[in-house]
Each structure stands twice: as structure tokens, then as C-alpha cells.
Amino acid sequence: MINVTRSHLPSREKLEAYINQLYDTAYLTNFGPLEQQLTSALEQYLNINHLVLMANGTLALMLLMRGLGLKGEIITTSYTFPATAAAIRWSGLEPKFADINLADWTIDPNKVEDLITPQTSAILATHVYGNPCNIEALATLGEQYKLPVLYDGAHGFGIQYGEQSLLGMGMGTAVSFHATKLFHTVEGGGVIVGDPDLAARLKRLINFGIAGPEQVADVGINAKMSELHAAVGLANLQEIDDCIRLRKSHLQYYQQRLDHSGIKWQQWCMNASTNGAYAPVNLSSEHSLLNVKQQLEAKNIFPRRYFYPSLDVLPCHGAPNNTPNAQQVAATTLCLPLYAELTQNQLDLICETVLSSI
């Protein structure tokens, strides 16, 4: 069986070294030494400041909005994972869906501006499959309308935007370290912010609002990362460069083999590096997509329609917005299997099946 992804497991020796530290300290949670070590290691690896690790990426989104005290409406994209919009609603806010660009599949700043009202409190944009949004245009909108620009960077691990980390853009970026991600801690996530005071507030919020042994400063929640999850992250971080190298190689092979087949690829930002996190292919029609998917599954190969359907058509989000581009891309995009451990024979089988099914 070839699934769309496979969680990377670090070597037992590397993981056991951190587990031994855990047994030595008997420290399991509450900002333990491994959690602190992972925070510092990730800040250094990603070239970022003020990372606050959390229990998962959905809580990271919610706590970023909570930390900023947002109210009213959030403009976001409907071509994203359900957690993006769900986090908005769980925070007592209303998502307003702006359409995407057909070329790069990220939120269209012009459509964002069309939705800004006095009730708008922030823009929350997703780096789709790790492809950066139009950061400059969104920053200009944020300045013009005095709105914080936030990012869902769940797919952006390790990507450089110019000379900076993509994850350091905007007022804050939420990240996911779920087991399906390029880098994972089994379950986990975090928020990267530029403001140290906001980072300090987030650390209180994820620990019940506690500011000291006998002081509670905020209405908080329990969203801390455990030492066990941090141990997995530290071990995985030692192997992440090889994982990224192999995944990028596999993705390049897909692109070479499927070139001139009629498949369209996401237009990648010229100012950004890549990380090989996903292999999304855009088919000529939904009928073609379903045929390719069926033929792959007949050979025990399981691709996935990651962002289908477009979130604005879901009944839980009310009446559909005017997002024809998002709905079109959602209906015709399929993610092929991509993970470091794929073999050459498996890659060839996937490519041959796709080419014979189009």
C-alpha cells in the first residue's frame, strides 16, 4: 500500500537518547527541558524569533487570535485545511472567504480588499502547500486598513522567503507539527511572533493564564507541548535535512515524468525556496481527477484531495461565498504520494498509472 504520506520515524537510537533524558529528569510537561531545547533548536534552524510551542496547530491558530484580542470578522481563504476556518469559529469570530489566484492557489489580495468592512479585525492567509502568499500586497492592505496580517504556515517548514524565514512574516504565523507534516512531533504546533510581549502572553495563555506561582493574569487554556512530543521533535530535527532532500528529489521526478501530460502545477513564488512537502497536481477536469484517483486506488495507491471541498461550500460555514477559483482548484487538484521513503519503483508505478489514466 502506498499512502499519500507516511510519517517519518527517527532512528530509535536518537529518540532513546532523548527519552533517557526524560527518565533522568522525570519531567513530563509544563515547559520542561526538552520542550525548551526544541524551542531553541527550531528557532536556530528556522532563523526565527519568539516561537511558542503548543499542543497542535489548530490551538496555535486559536491562541494567536486570542492573544491579539480579535473580535468580529476574519478574512481568510476557502482553499485551505478545515482547521483554518474552524479555529476562527471556535474563537467566536466569523470567517469571510476571499477567492484565490488560479496560478499560485493562494489568497488574492484584491479579493481580500473587497471584503474589508468595519467589522474586519484581521487577515488570515494560508501559505498553500508551503507556497508563499503575496506577502507585500497583504502587508500593504494591513497597513492601509490597520489590520494585523496573520498566516497559517502549517506547510511552510524550512522555506526561505528572500533572505528571511517564511514563518517570520506578518504579525504572527501558526505552524503545525502533526504527524503528517514534513517535520513533526506526532502532535504539536506553535506560533511565531515578532513581539516578545505577545509571545509572553501566549505562554501564559497555553498554561491556564498562569503568570506566577500565585498569579493568574489571563483566561487561559491547557495547550502546552509535552516532553514526549518534544523528544520526537528533537530526534526528527536531526534527520530533517535528509528528509527534505529526498522529498524534493521525488517531487522533481514527478514534475519531469508528468511534464507535457496536460497536468498543471502550482506556480511557485520566485522569491521562495521549496521544501518538498506536497505533490499537488491539477487535472483538466474533475472527471479526469476522479479517473486518475480510481486507477491509482485500484493499485493500492492512495492520493488525496487535500482541500476538497472548498470550505465556503460547507453547510457549517453558511451560504457559499463568491469564490469560483477556489472551488475550481479544489475540484481538480489531487495530491500524489510524497514522502522520503518512497522507492524508485513506487515513483515509476505512480507516474505510469497517472499517465495512462489522464
Side-chain angles (χ1 to χ4, degrees):
M1 181 186 296
I2 304 174
N3 287 317
V4 68
T5 191
R6 176 180 175 178
S7 300
H8 178 75
L9 293 173
S11 73
R12 291 194 178 198
E13 292 77 13
K14 290 188 178 78
L15 181 57
E16 285 173 1
Y18 291 110
I19 297 298
N20 289 339
Q21 291 183 43
L22 185 151
Y23 270 83
D24 289 341
T25 64
Y27 214 120
L28 295 178
T29 187
N30 287 359
F31 309 113
L34 294 179
E35 187 266 359
Q36 294 178 43
Q37 190 175 340
L38 180 59
T39 298
S40 297
L42 285 171
E43 287 181 341
Q44 181 177 355
Y45 181 87
L46 296 170
N47 191 26
I48 56 173
N49 297 311
H50 310 307
L51 166 64
V52 180
L53 292 176
M54 299 183 185
N56 60 61
T58 305
L59 284 168
L61 284 165
M62 294 171 62
L63 284 155
L64 176 56
M65 291 182 279
R66 179 83 176 193
L68 291 169
L70 302 182
K71 300 181 184 300
E73 299 173 354
I74 306 288
I75 298 174
T76 191
T77 174
S78 61
Y79 190 64
T80 186
F81 193 66
T84 310
I88 293 171
R89 288 203 178 276
W90 272 88
S91 300
L93 301 160
E94 181 80 13
K96 295 296 179 182
F97 297 108
D99 208 358
I100 62 173
N101 294 303
L102 277 176
D104 63 18
W105 309 347
T106 68
I107 197 166
D108 184 340
N110 292 321
K111 301 299 182 181
V112 169
E113 187 168 22
D114 292 342
L115 294 176
I116 295 175
T117 71
Q119 286 70 50
T120 305
S121 60
I123 300 164
L124 174 58
T126 297
H127 301 306
V128 178
Y129 302 121
N131 194 22
C133 301
N134 188 333
I135 290 169
E136 289 76 15
L138 292 174
T140 297
L141 285 177
E143 293 171 5
Q144 181 179 349
Y145 292 96
K146 295 181 172 53
L147 296 171
V149 179
L150 314 176
Y151 289 104
D152 182 336
H155 301 164
F157 187 90
I159 291 177
Q160 288 292 113
Y161 185 78
E163 299 299 318
Q164 303 177 67
S165 168
L166 177 64
L167 301 181
M169 300 293 105
M171 184 169 286
T173 297
V175 293
S176 171
F177 300 143
H178 184 261
T180 57
K181 297 297 186 292
L182 173 69
F183 167 82
H184 76 87
T185 59
V186 183
E187 289 281 0
V191 170
I192 299 105
V193 295
D195 180 1
D197 292 335
L198 177 56
R201 181 166 192 231
L202 289 170
K203 290 197 75 169
R204 292 195 301 272
L205 287 173
I206 66 173
N207 189 35
F208 309 101
I210 294 172
E214 298 178 357
Q215 182 182 6
V216 178
D218 296 282
V219 178
I221 195 170
N222 183 12
K224 301 181 297 294
M225 177 179 284
S226 81
E227 291 290 272
L228 280 167
H229 292 93
V232 174
L234 284 163
N236 270 332
L237 191 60
Q238 293 186 44
E239 302 179 1
I240 192 64
D241 287 338
D242 283 339
C243 287
I244 292 175
R245 176 181 56 81
L246 288 167
R247 292 173 74 125
K248 288 172 67 173
S249 176
H250 298 339
L251 178 57
Q252 288 171 356
Y253 188 75
Y254 275 142
Q255 292 170 336
Q256 292 167 2
R257 283 290 308 271
L258 300 178
D259 195 21
H260 306 300
S261 66
I263 283 174
K264 294 180 181 178
W265 297 89
Q266 182 184 26
Q267 184 181 95
W268 201 263
C269 175
M270 293 180 63
N271 196 33
S273 64
T274 60
N275 62 3
Y278 296 89
V281 293
N282 186 255
L283 285 302
S284 59
S285 66
E286 186 170 20
H287 174 77
S288 178
L289 177 147
L290 293 173
N291 186 57
V292 170
K293 184 172 181 285
Q294 182 182 41
Q295 295 304 314
L296 286 168
E297 290 174 347
K299 297 182 180 180
N300 277 331
I301 302 166
F302 297 94
R304 183 174 174 184
R305 306 173 77 178
Y306 260 108
F307 301 148
Y308 177 82
S310 176
L311 296 185
D312 60 314
V313 306
L314 297 177
C316 60
H317 291 307
N321 288 58
N322 183 27
T323 60
N325 292 348
Q327 293 175 30
Q328 176 183 329
V329 173
T332 54
T333 299
L334 187 69
C335 281
L336 301 179
L338 185 60
Y339 47 90
E341 294 81 5
L342 278 172
T343 67
Q344 188 61 52
N345 286 340
Q346 289 173 324
L347 288 166
D348 285 332
L349 176 60
I350 294 165
C351 290
E352 290 160 8
T353 305
V354 171
L355 289 169
S356 65
S357 306
I358 295 175

Short mmCIF file of all heavy atoms in Angstrom, two decimals, residues 99-144:
data_model
loop_
_atom_site.label_atom_id
_atom_site.label_comp_id
_atom_site.label_asym_id
_atom_site.label_seq_id
_atom_site.Cartn_x
_atom_site.Cartn_y
_atom_site.Cartn_z
N ASP A 99 -11.46 34.86 -2.53
CA ASP A 99 -11.06 33.89 -3.55
C ASP A 99 -9.54 33.85 -3.69
O ASP A 99 -8.82 34.69 -3.15
CB ASP A 99 -11.71 34.25 -4.89
CG ASP A 99 -11.92 33.03 -5.78
OD1 ASP A 99 -11.53 31.91 -5.37
OD2 ASP A 99 -12.48 33.18 -6.88
N ILE A 100 -9.06 32.86 -4.45
CA ILE A 100 -7.63 32.66 -4.65
C ILE A 100 -7.23 33.01 -6.09
O ILE A 100 -8.08 33.18 -6.96
CB ILE A 100 -7.22 31.20 -4.35
CG1 ILE A 100 -7.94 30.23 -5.32
CG2 ILE A 100 -7.54 30.85 -2.92
CD1 ILE A 100 -7.48 28.80 -5.23
N ASN A 101 -5.92 33.09 -6.30
CA ASN A 101 -5.39 33.22 -7.65
C ASN A 101 -5.34 31.84 -8.30
O ASN A 101 -4.94 30.87 -7.66
CB ASN A 101 -3.98 33.81 -7.62
CG ASN A 101 -3.97 35.24 -7.12
OD1 ASN A 101 -4.63 36.09 -7.69
ND2 ASN A 101 -3.21 35.49 -6.05
N LEU A 102 -5.70 31.76 -9.58
CA LEU A 102 -5.69 30.48 -10.26
C LEU A 102 -4.28 29.94 -10.50
O LEU A 102 -4.10 28.73 -10.67
CB LEU A 102 -6.43 30.58 -11.61
CG LEU A 102 -7.94 30.46 -11.57
CD1 LEU A 102 -8.53 30.68 -12.96
CD2 LEU A 102 -8.36 29.11 -11.02
N ALA A 103 -3.29 30.82 -10.51
CA ALA A 103 -1.93 30.37 -10.81
C ALA A 103 -1.24 29.77 -9.59
O ALA A 103 -0.70 28.67 -9.66
CB ALA A 103 -1.11 31.52 -11.37
N ASP A 104 -1.25 30.51 -8.46
CA ASP A 104 -0.48 30.04 -7.30
C ASP A 104 -1.34 29.45 -6.19
O ASP A 104 -0.81 28.92 -5.22
CB ASP A 104 0.41 31.14 -6.75
CG ASP A 104 -0.37 32.34 -6.22
OD1 ASP A 104 -1.58 32.23 -5.96
OD2 ASP A 104 0.24 33.42 -6.07
N TRP A 105 -2.69 29.60 -6.31
CA TRP A 105 -3.65 28.99 -5.40
C TRP A 105 -3.68 29.64 -4.02
O TRP A 105 -4.29 29.12 -3.09
CB TRP A 105 -3.44 27.48 -5.26
CG TRP A 105 -3.35 26.75 -6.56
CD1 TRP A 105 -3.68 27.21 -7.81
CD2 TRP A 105 -2.89 25.41 -6.75
NE1 TRP A 105 -3.46 26.24 -8.76
CE2 TRP A 105 -2.97 25.13 -8.14
CE3 TRP A 105 -2.41 24.41 -5.88
CZ2 TRP A 105 -2.59 23.89 -8.68
CZ3 TRP A 105 -2.05 23.19 -6.42
CH2 TRP A 105 -2.14 22.94 -7.79
N THR A 106 -3.02 30.79 -3.86
CA THR A 106 -3.06 31.50 -2.59
C THR A 106 -4.06 32.65 -2.66
O THR A 106 -4.52 33.03 -3.74
CB THR A 106 -1.67 32.05 -2.20
OG1 THR A 106 -1.30 33.09 -3.11
CG2 THR A 106 -0.63 30.95 -2.20
N ILE A 107 -4.39 33.19 -1.52
CA ILE A 107 -5.43 34.20 -1.41
C ILE A 107 -5.11 35.42 -2.27
O ILE A 107 -3.97 35.86 -2.35
CB ILE A 107 -5.63 34.58 0.08
CG1 ILE A 107 -6.96 35.30 0.31
CG2 ILE A 107 -4.45 35.40 0.59
CD1 ILE A 107 -7.34 35.37 1.79
N ASP A 108 -6.13 35.94 -2.94
CA ASP A 108 -5.99 37.09 -3.85
C ASP A 108 -6.17 38.39 -3.05
O ASP A 108 -7.25 38.66 -2.55
CB ASP A 108 -7.05 36.99 -4.95
CG ASP A 108 -6.93 38.08 -6.00
OD1 ASP A 108 -6.29 39.12 -5.73
OD2 ASP A 108 -7.51 37.92 -7.09
N PRO A 109 -5.12 39.20 -2.92
CA PRO A 109 -5.24 40.44 -2.14
C PRO A 109 -6.35 41.37 -2.63
O PRO A 109 -6.97 42.07 -1.82
CB PRO A 109 -3.85 41.09 -2.30
CG PRO A 109 -2.93 39.95 -2.57
CD PRO A 109 -3.73 38.99 -3.40
N ASN A 110 -6.61 41.38 -3.92
CA ASN A 110 -7.69 42.23 -4.43
C ASN A 110 -9.05 41.77 -3.90
O ASN A 110 -9.92 42.59 -3.58
CB ASN A 110 -7.70 42.23 -5.96
CG ASN A 110 -6.49 42.91 -6.55
OD1 ASN A 110 -6.03 43.93 -6.04
ND2 ASN A 110 -5.94 42.34 -7.60
N LYS A 111 -9.22 40.46 -3.80
CA LYS A 111 -10.48 39.92 -3.26
C LYS A 111 -10.56 40.15 -1.76
O LYS A 111 -11.66 40.30 -1.21
CB LYS A 111 -10.59 38.44 -3.60
CG LYS A 111 -10.57 38.12 -5.08
CD LYS A 111 -11.73 38.78 -5.81
CE LYS A 111 -11.73 38.40 -7.30
NZ LYS A 111 -12.84 39.05 -8.04
N VAL A 112 -9.41 40.15 -1.11
CA VAL A 112 -9.39 40.46 0.32
C VAL A 112 -9.90 41.88 0.55
O VAL A 112 -10.76 42.12 1.41
CB VAL A 112 -7.96 40.31 0.89
CG1 VAL A 112 -7.89 40.88 2.31
CG2 VAL A 112 -7.53 38.85 0.88
N GLU A 113 -9.38 42.82 -0.21
CA GLU A 113 -9.78 44.22 -0.02
C GLU A 113 -11.27 44.41 -0.24
O GLU A 113 -11.90 45.21 0.46
CB GLU A 113 -8.99 45.12 -0.97
CG GLU A 113 -9.22 46.60 -0.71
CD GLU A 113 -8.24 47.49 -1.43
OE1 GLU A 113 -7.65 47.04 -2.44
OE2 GLU A 113 -8.07 48.64 -1.01
N ASP A 114 -11.84 43.65 -1.17
CA ASP A 114 -13.28 43.76 -1.43
C ASP A 114 -14.12 43.39 -0.21
O ASP A 114 -15.28 43.82 -0.10
CB ASP A 114 -13.68 42.85 -2.60
CG ASP A 114 -13.11 43.33 -3.93
OD1 ASP A 114 -12.71 44.49 -4.02
OD2 ASP A 114 -13.07 42.51 -4.88
N LEU A 115 -13.57 42.58 0.68
CA LEU A 115 -14.33 42.06 1.83
C LEU A 115 -14.12 42.86 3.11
O LEU A 115 -14.77 42.59 4.12
CB LEU A 115 -13.97 40.60 2.08
CG LEU A 115 -14.37 39.59 1.00
CD1 LEU A 115 -13.86 38.20 1.35
CD2 LEU A 115 -15.88 39.57 0.81
N ILE A 116 -13.20 43.82 3.10
CA ILE A 116 -12.92 44.58 4.32
C ILE A 116 -14.08 45.49 4.69
O ILE A 116 -14.58 46.25 3.86
CB ILE A 116 -11.62 45.40 4.16
CG1 ILE A 116 -10.42 44.46 4.00
CG2 ILE A 116 -11.41 46.33 5.36
CD1 ILE A 116 -9.12 45.18 3.70
N THR A 117 -14.53 45.37 5.94
CA THR A 117 -15.62 46.19 6.48
C THR A 117 -15.19 46.69 7.86
O THR A 117 -14.14 46.28 8.38
CB THR A 117 -16.92 45.37 6.63
OG1 THR A 117 -16.75 44.43 7.73
CG2 THR A 117 -17.25 44.61 5.34
N PRO A 118 -15.99 47.55 8.49
CA PRO A 118 -15.67 47.98 9.86
C PRO A 118 -15.60 46.81 10.85
O PRO A 118 -15.01 46.95 11.93
CB PRO A 118 -16.81 48.94 10.20
CG PRO A 118 -17.24 49.48 8.87
CD PRO A 118 -17.12 48.34 7.92
N GLN A 119 -16.21 45.67 10.51
CA GLN A 119 -16.20 44.51 11.40
C GLN A 119 -14.95 43.65 11.24
O GLN A 119 -14.70 42.74 12.04
CB GLN A 119 -17.45 43.63 11.16
CG GLN A 119 -18.74 44.22 11.72
CD GLN A 119 -19.20 45.44 10.93
OE1 GLN A 119 -19.28 45.39 9.69
NE2 GLN A 119 -19.51 46.52 11.63
N THR A 120 -14.16 43.92 10.21
CA THR A 120 -12.96 43.12 9.96
C THR A 120 -11.90 43.41 11.02
O THR A 120 -11.57 44.57 11.27
CB THR A 120 -12.37 43.43 8.57
OG1 THR A 120 -13.38 43.23 7.58
CG2 THR A 120 -11.19 42.51 8.28
N SER A 121 -11.36 42.34 11.63
CA SER A 121 -10.34 42.55 12.67
C SER A 121 -8.98 42.00 12.27
O SER A 121 -7.98 42.33 12.92
CB SER A 121 -10.78 41.90 13.99
OG SER A 121 -10.98 40.51 13.83
N ALA A 122 -8.90 41.17 11.21
CA ALA A 122 -7.60 40.64 10.79
C ALA A 122 -7.74 39.95 9.45
O ALA A 122 -8.85 39.61 9.00
CB ALA A 122 -7.04 39.67 11.83
N ILE A 123 -6.60 39.72 8.82
CA ILE A 123 -6.49 38.89 7.62
C ILE A 123 -5.70 37.66 8.01
O ILE A 123 -4.61 37.77 8.59
CB ILE A 123 -5.77 39.65 6.48
CG1 ILE A 123 -6.53 40.92 6.11
CG2 ILE A 123 -5.58 38.75 5.26
CD1 ILE A 123 -5.70 41.90 5.29
N LEU A 124 -6.23 36.48 7.71
CA LEU A 124 -5.55 35.23 8.00
C LEU A 124 -5.36 34.48 6.68
O LEU A 124 -6.31 33.94 6.12
CB LEU A 124 -6.34 34.37 8.99
CG LEU A 124 -5.80 32.96 9.26
CD1 LEU A 124 -4.37 33.01 9.77
CD2 LEU A 124 -6.71 32.22 10.24
N ALA A 125 -4.14 34.48 6.16
CA ALA A 125 -3.84 33.89 4.85
C ALA A 125 -3.04 32.60 5.03
O ALA A 125 -2.26 32.47 5.98
CB ALA A 125 -3.05 34.88 4.00
N THR A 126 -3.24 31.65 4.12
CA THR A 126 -2.55 30.37 4.18
C THR A 126 -1.49 30.28 3.10
O THR A 126 -1.75 30.57 1.93
CB THR A 126 -3.56 29.21 4.01
OG1 THR A 126 -4.49 29.22 5.08
CG2 THR A 126 -2.84 27.86 3.97
N HIS A 127 -0.29 29.85 3.48
CA HIS A 127 0.76 29.53 2.51
C HIS A 127 0.44 28.13 1.97
O HIS A 127 0.84 27.12 2.56
CB HIS A 127 2.13 29.57 3.16
CG HIS A 127 2.49 30.90 3.75
ND1 HIS A 127 2.45 32.08 3.03
CD2 HIS A 127 2.92 31.24 5.01
CE1 HIS A 127 2.84 33.08 3.80
NE2 HIS A 127 3.12 32.61 4.99
N VAL A 128 -0.29 28.08 0.88
CA VAL A 128 -0.90 26.83 0.41
C VAL A 128 0.17 25.87 -0.11
O VAL A 128 0.92 26.19 -1.04
CB VAL A 128 -1.94 27.13 -0.68
CG1 VAL A 128 -2.54 25.84 -1.23
CG2 VAL A 128 -3.04 28.03 -0.12
N TYR A 129 0.21 24.68 0.49
CA TYR A 129 1.26 23.68 0.21
C TYR A 129 2.65 24.27 0.43
O TYR A 129 3.63 23.80 -0.13
CB TYR A 129 1.13 23.12 -1.21
CG TYR A 129 -0.21 22.48 -1.49
CD1 TYR A 129 -1.03 22.93 -2.52
CD2 TYR A 129 -0.66 21.42 -0.71
CE1 TYR A 129 -2.26 22.35 -2.76
CE2 TYR A 129 -1.90 20.83 -0.95
CZ TYR A 129 -2.70 21.31 -1.98
OH TYR A 129 -3.93 20.72 -2.21
N GLY A 130 2.74 25.32 1.24
CA GLY A 130 4.00 25.98 1.52
C GLY A 130 4.34 27.11 0.56
O GLY A 130 5.35 27.80 0.75
N ASN A 131 3.52 27.32 -0.47
CA ASN A 131 3.77 28.39 -1.43
C ASN A 131 3.40 29.73 -0.81
O ASN A 131 2.26 29.94 -0.41
CB ASN A 131 2.94 28.15 -2.69
CG ASN A 131 3.38 29.01 -3.86
OD1 ASN A 131 4.50 29.49 -3.91
ND2 ASN A 131 2.49 29.20 -4.81
N PRO A 132 4.34 30.67 -0.72
CA PRO A 132 4.05 31.93 -0.03
C PRO A 132 2.93 32.74 -0.70
O PRO A 132 2.80 32.76 -1.93
CB PRO A 132 5.37 32.70 -0.12
CG PRO A 132 6.41 31.65 -0.28
CD PRO A 132 5.76 30.57 -1.10
N CYS A 133 2.14 33.37 0.13
CA CYS A 133 1.13 34.33 -0.35
C CYS A 133 1.84 35.57 -0.90
O CYS A 133 3.06 35.70 -0.80
CB CYS A 133 0.23 34.75 0.81
SG CYS A 133 -0.65 33.41 1.61
N ASN A 134 1.06 36.47 -1.44
CA ASN A 134 1.60 37.76 -1.88
C ASN A 134 1.79 38.62 -0.62
O ASN A 134 0.94 39.42 -0.25
CB ASN A 134 0.64 38.44 -2.86
CG ASN A 134 1.24 39.68 -3.50
OD1 ASN A 134 2.11 40.33 -2.92
ND2 ASN A 134 0.79 40.02 -4.68
N ILE A 135 2.92 38.41 0.02
CA ILE A 135 3.17 39.00 1.33
C ILE A 135 3.20 40.52 1.29
O ILE A 135 2.65 41.19 2.17
CB ILE A 135 4.48 38.43 1.90
CG1 ILE A 135 4.27 36.95 2.27
CG2 ILE A 135 4.93 39.22 3.13
CD1 ILE A 135 5.53 36.20 2.59
N GLU A 136 3.82 41.07 0.26
CA GLU A 136 3.92 42.53 0.17
C GLU A 136 2.55 43.18 0.01
O GLU A 136 2.24 44.18 0.67
CB GLU A 136 4.83 42.94 -0.99
CG GLU A 136 6.30 42.66 -0.78
CD GLU A 136 6.66 41.19 -0.96
OE1 GLU A 136 5.82 40.44 -1.51
OE2 GLU A 136 7.77 40.80 -0.55
N ALA A 137 1.71 42.61 -0.86
CA ALA A 137 0.38 43.18 -1.07
C ALA A 137 -0.47 43.07 0.19
O ALA A 137 -1.22 44.00 0.52
CB ALA A 137 -0.31 42.48 -2.25
N LEU A 138 -0.38 41.94 0.89
CA LEU A 138 -1.15 41.78 2.12
C LEU A 138 -0.64 42.73 3.20
O LEU A 138 -1.45 43.28 3.97
CB LEU A 138 -1.08 40.33 2.59
CG LEU A 138 -1.79 39.32 1.69
CD1 LEU A 138 -1.52 37.89 2.17
CD2 LEU A 138 -3.30 39.57 1.66
N ALA A 139 0.67 42.93 3.26
CA ALA A 139 1.23 43.87 4.24
C ALA A 139 0.73 45.28 3.96
O ALA A 139 0.41 46.04 4.90
CB ALA A 139 2.75 43.82 4.20
N THR A 140 0.65 45.66 2.68
CA THR A 140 0.14 46.98 2.31
C THR A 140 -1.31 47.14 2.75
O THR A 140 -1.70 48.20 3.29
CB THR A 140 0.26 47.20 0.79
OG1 THR A 140 1.64 47.15 0.42
CG2 THR A 140 -0.32 48.54 0.39
N LEU A 141 -2.12 46.11 2.54
CA LEU A 141 -3.52 46.16 2.98
C LEU A 141 -3.59 46.30 4.50
O LEU A 141 -4.40 47.06 5.04
CB LEU A 141 -4.26 44.90 2.55
CG LEU A 141 -4.65 44.78 1.08
CD1 LEU A 141 -5.32 43.43 0.82
CD2 LEU A 141 -5.60 45.91 0.68
N GLY A 142 -2.75 45.54 5.21
CA GLY A 142 -2.75 45.62 6.67
C GLY A 142 -2.42 47.01 7.16
O GLY A 142 -3.06 47.52 8.09
N GLU A 143 -1.44 47.64 6.54
CA GLU A 143 -1.06 48.99 6.93
C GLU A 143 -2.16 49.99 6.58
O GLU A 143 -2.47 50.89 7.37
CB GLU A 143 0.24 49.37 6.24
CG GLU A 143 1.45 48.58 6.73
CD GLU A 143 2.69 48.83 5.88
OE1 GLU A 143 2.60 49.70 4.97
OE2 GLU A 143 3.72 48.18 6.11
N GLN A 144 -2.73 49.86 5.38
CA GLN A 144 -3.74 50.80 4.93
C GLN A 144 -4.99 50.77 5.79
O GLN A 144 -5.56 51.82 6.12
CB GLN A 144 -4.10 50.50 3.48
CG GLN A 144 -5.14 51.44 2.88
CD GLN A 144 -5.45 51.11 1.42
OE1 GLN A 144 -4.77 50.30 0.79
NE2 GLN A 144 -6.48 51.73 0.89
#
